[in-house]
Amino acid sequence: MICPSCGKPVPDQSKFCPSCGATVQGAPGQPPVPYNPQPDLPMKWFKFVIWVQLFLAALYALSYAARFLTGTAYGDETDLYYEMINGLRATDIVFGLMYVGVIVLVIYVRQQLAGFKKGAPEHYLRFIIIANAVGIAYSLAVIVVVATAVTNAIPGLSFSDVISMMADDPDVQSSFIQLVLSLILLTVMYVLNKIYFDKRTHLFVHA
């Protein structure tokens, strides 16, 4: 008998495939489910993800974790930034630890995908959101920390006033544009990968 899901041989009396766990027989007395082979889909993007993209993502996260946790995020002026902007050092430490978590997540997702584990594509899609969300959240957190520090340093100046002033700064405007582009890229990347892996769900069957 042949498994209707993965196409591998199954003992005649078995109700489930020992390879992928799929049901191979219907109700008692009914014939086995016929084998319906899945289309032979290209896997180039999958190979790129597990051999290139995830390794680069781990290196990217490692570089940010090292910069934030060692206090070298702003080069030679790091100490000056930390002295002038109260809370920036704590923010960098928190996000440095978050990037360490991203590294752990990368390793886990890569192993799940490479082993064709059940649910691996869903883990990969969550990773896309989490990894990008950390970077976006850091940019927003820095804006809040800087605005708060300026508000506390200048009496009579409200938080909203500082935000308005920052919005007029060309550097802040450029950062905001990059943030919007990042959100658009995140959405496109998520949708395209979901479409790609939804067509290949039948391959990820290992427990």
Side-chain angles (χ1 to χ4, degrees):
M1 185 165 53
I2 298 297
C3 173
S5 177
C6 66
K8 294 184 178 179
V10 180
D12 290 339
Q13 302 304 318
S14 297
K15 294 184 178 180
F16 302 97
C17 173
S19 298
C20 68
T23 302
V24 293
Q25 289 189 7
Q30 293 185 354
V33 179
Y35 175 48
N36 181 22
Q38 299 288 345
D40 187 13
L41 298 170
M43 298 294 286
K44 290 183 179 180
W45 174 248
F46 170 79
K47 293 178 181 178
F48 176 81
V49 167
I50 65 173
W51 291 111
V52 179
Q53 186 195 42
L54 291 177
F55 280 109
L56 292 178
L59 291 175
Y60 177 87
L62 178 61
S63 67
Y64 273 89
R67 289 167 58 193
F68 290 153
L69 294 177
T70 59
T72 58
Y74 310 99
D76 296 334
E77 298 180 348
T78 297
D79 292 336
L80 179 61
Y81 274 93
Y82 287 159
E83 183 179 347
M84 293 178 58
I85 305 174
N86 185 37
L88 184 59
R89 175 58 174 160
T91 301
D92 283 352
I93 291 176
V94 169
F95 278 89
L97 294 174
M98 291 177 69
Y99 273 111
V100 172
V102 170
I103 296 171
V104 174
L105 181 60
V106 170
I107 295 173
Y108 172 77
V109 170
R110 198 270 172 192
Q111 294 304 109
Q112 292 290 302
L113 285 174
F116 290 91
K117 303 289 187 179
K118 289 182 179 179
E122 287 77 10
H123 294 319
Y124 175 66
L125 293 174
R126 293 189 193 102
F127 158 76
I128 292 175
I129 295 176
I130 293 172
N132 285 275
V134 171
I136 294 172
Y138 177 75
S139 298
L140 296 176
V142 169
I143 291 175
V144 172
V145 169
V146 171
T148 302
V150 174
T151 301
N152 294 334
I154 304 177
L157 197 62
S158 68
F159 182 84
S160 59
D161 291 335
V162 177
I163 293 296
S164 298
M165 293 169 56
M166 293 176 67
D168 294 331
D169 187 290
D171 291 336
V172 175
Q173 293 176 353
S174 176
S175 297
F176 179 76
I177 293 174
Q178 292 178 6
L179 179 62
V180 173
L181 292 176
S182 296
L183 289 171
I184 295 174
L185 180 62
L186 168 60
T187 303
V188 172
M189 187 176 179
Y190 180 90
V191 171
L192 291 179
N193 275 283
K194 180 169 177 53
I195 293 173
Y196 177 89
F197 281 103
D198 280 351
K199 295 179 180 179
R200 294 159 177 80
T201 304
H202 63 281
L203 299 174
F204 298 89
V205 295
H206 297 158

